[in-house]
Amino acid sequence: MFKMISCILLNNPVGHLGYFIKTTHWNKLKSDIKFCHIIHHQKKTHIIIDMLTASLKYGSSFHEYFYYKFFEKKPADRKRFATTGKMYAYQLKMNPPQHRHLIEDKLVFLKKYSDFTGRNWIDLNTAVKEDIACFMKNKSKVVLKNSKGQAGQTIRIIHLQNKSASDILNFSRINKLDLMEEFVFQHQALMNLAPESLNTIRIITQIKDNGDVQITGTILRLGYGHDTDNLSTGGIACAIDSETGIVSSPGISFDITKHDYITHPVSGKKIEGFQLPFWNESVELAKKAALLYPQNRSVGWDIAVTDNGPILIEGNHNWGARLWQMPVKKGLKHLLEPS
């Protein structure tokens, strides 16, 4: 029902407002308005009116008004951003709903893209204790997920010391987690940069009308304070030069009150200028994944790099434009196929 309502609301400019009202985190919005009022010396009423106007005119969510710093941008610059309204129409065209399950459902994804995922897993919907015990053997930790979870919200890293198969099964059922995966040990260089989580590369591919695979965006996601590297859980994002694999921007977060991250707050290591290991191999992996099921023409691939090379973690049919545009501080709508 929520998806149907969202579809109706996002298909017209006025409907944007209704959708954004439904999905806004109001306490965060109040905080951002207050911050903008204090730092930029703008009246709160002016900020709110301008935010609503931008939503109607550009399809930007209330939060995007602050994430993209529309409060300090001219109309010509605002128009260049791929906003929530634009992305909904674009992704509906590029990734038809009847094909999205290939990457949206993690259990289906792991089966279909098994040549690229580089790790073992088990379906907890059908597994019995003996299966789980066998999977746990000689492992120090595993990852539990909900196969339909989004934005890293359902990921749990479980240390297996003193844990039994019954413990895992009970925990998974209580928390509605139906997928167990091997824990991925990342490349030492990435561990040194951000040691708290598995840090992934987001490579956005777009299959053009002529069948060619275009790399639309490349971003490094770094964890901070959590096991996951998602911006929605406090992570840091930075742009990567798609040709060289060198990080080309400082890190940003969803917290507009924070300055850009020049160094990682845990490791103290400089972010911009970091060279991603196995870069060419990572790009090639994304291109091959894109062509395996080309029914989904625009996918954000999350790739982990191990000491032995890159592996595919997941694909996102509804990849977020914020992660893509915020680090470079400009709109990139012109890179998308017309929708």
Side-chain angles (χ1 to χ4, degrees):
M1 177 62 71
F2 180 75
K3 286 186 177 181
M4 182 178 71
I5 293 171
S6 301
C7 177
I8 295 170
L9 292 176
L10 277 169
N11 268 318
N12 66 85
V14 176
H16 293 157
L17 287 177
Y19 177 78
F20 299 147
I21 287 169
K22 278 181 168 291
T23 56
T24 292
H25 299 285
W26 292 102
N27 287 335
K28 177 172 173 51
L29 186 67
K30 290 176 185 177
S31 175
D32 289 345
I33 291 171
K34 181 179 179 181
F35 176 78
C36 191
H37 164 67
I38 294 171
I39 299 300
H40 295 278
H41 309 291
Q42 296 183 17
K43 291 183 179 179
K44 291 183 180 180
T45 52
H46 168 79
I47 296 168
I48 293 169
I49 291 171
D50 192 42
M51 178 187 71
L52 294 172
T53 302
S55 180
L56 285 169
K57 192 171 183 179
Y58 308 110
S60 54
S61 74
F62 300 160
H63 292 302
E64 284 175 325
Y65 178 85
F66 298 96
Y67 291 150
Y68 296 148
K69 298 190 176 179
F70 275 9
F71 50 81
E72 61 184 27
K73 285 183 169 58
K74 297 178 180 179
D77 295 320
R78 294 180 179 188
K79 284 175 63 176
R80 296 187 176 97
F81 280 84
T83 60
T84 295
K86 166 66 181 179
M87 291 303 296
Y88 178 83
Y90 166 76
Q91 289 169 336
L92 188 63
K93 172 196 172 186
M94 300 295 279
N95 306 320
Q98 66 268 30
H99 298 304
R100 293 180 175 185
H101 70 283
L102 294 168
I103 47 181
E104 187 174 37
D105 187 315
K106 292 177 176 59
L107 288 168
V108 175
F109 168 82
L110 286 165
K111 292 174 185 176
K112 297 292 187 181
Y113 292 85
S114 59
D115 288 345
F116 306 126
T117 54
R119 62 195 184 280
N120 293 319
W121 56 276
I122 188 169
D123 183 348
L124 295 176
N125 294 301
T126 57
V128 296
K129 290 180 184 179
E130 290 76 14
D131 299 326
I132 296 171
C134 184
F135 189 88
M136 294 167 60
K137 191 174 181 180
N138 298 323
K139 294 181 177 67
S140 59
K141 48 189 171 181
V142 294
V143 179
L144 297 182
K145 299 177 181 178
N146 182 291
S147 61
K148 295 176 177 61
Q150 294 282 315
Q153 297 293 337
T154 68
I155 294 175
R156 301 289 186 273
I157 296 175
I158 307 298
H159 294 264
L160 295 179
Q161 186 177 9
N162 300 323
K163 294 285 193 309
S164 67
S166 295
D167 295 331
I168 295 295
L169 196 56
N170 291 336
F171 181 85
S172 66
R173 286 173 177 169
I174 291 170
N175 292 280
K176 298 181 179 179
L177 307 173
D178 59 354
L179 171 61
M180 181 162 64
E181 298 179 352
E182 278 187 286
F183 183 85
V184 175
F185 292 91
Q186 67 189 325
H187 194 282
Q188 190 60 49
L190 283 161
M191 178 62 77
N192 292 341
L193 178 62
E196 294 181 309
S197 73
L198 176 64
N199 308 293
T200 58
I201 302 164
R202 168 71 58 85
I203 298 182
I204 304 165
T205 58
Q206 178 176 237
I207 299 179
K208 306 287 282 183
D209 288 338
N210 63 8
D212 291 342
V213 178
Q214 177 191 59
I215 301 299
T216 307
T218 48
I219 306 102
L220 175 62
R221 307 192 308 171
L222 303 171
Y224 175 33
H226 290 82
D227 291 329
T228 58
D229 59 3
N230 302 75
L231 278 180
S232 58
T233 58
I236 298 168
C238 38
I240 304 171
D241 183 293
S242 61
E243 295 296 326
T244 65
I246 296 174
V247 174
S248 57
S249 78
I252 57 90
S253 76
F254 271 167
D255 187 344
I256 69 165
T257 69
K258 295 184 182 297
H259 294 292
D260 289 352
Y261 292 97
I262 305 301
T263 60
H264 192 279
V266 175
S267 71
K269 293 187 176 296
K270 191 169 184 267
I271 294 173
E272 190 171 3
F274 177 82
Q275 173 69 64
L276 272 300
F278 292 105
W279 179 249
N280 292 335
E281 292 85 349
S282 298
V283 172
E284 187 63 24
L285 174 61
K287 288 182 176 180
K288 286 180 178 178
L291 291 172
L292 185 60
Y293 293 98
Q295 300 95 322
N296 290 305
R297 293 177 55 196
S298 178
V299 179
W301 304 102
D302 291 340
I303 294 172
V305 183
T306 72
D307 286 337
N308 296 316
I311 61 172
L312 201 57
I313 297 298
E314 64 181 20
N316 301 273
H317 69 82
N318 57 345
W319 56 269
R322 299 167 184 176
L323 180 74
W324 177 44
Q325 297 172 117
M326 286 175 64
V328 296
K329 305 184 189 305
K330 63 181 180 181
L332 299 172
K333 185 172 67 174
H334 64 282
L335 296 177
L336 302 179
E337 285 277 270
S339 60

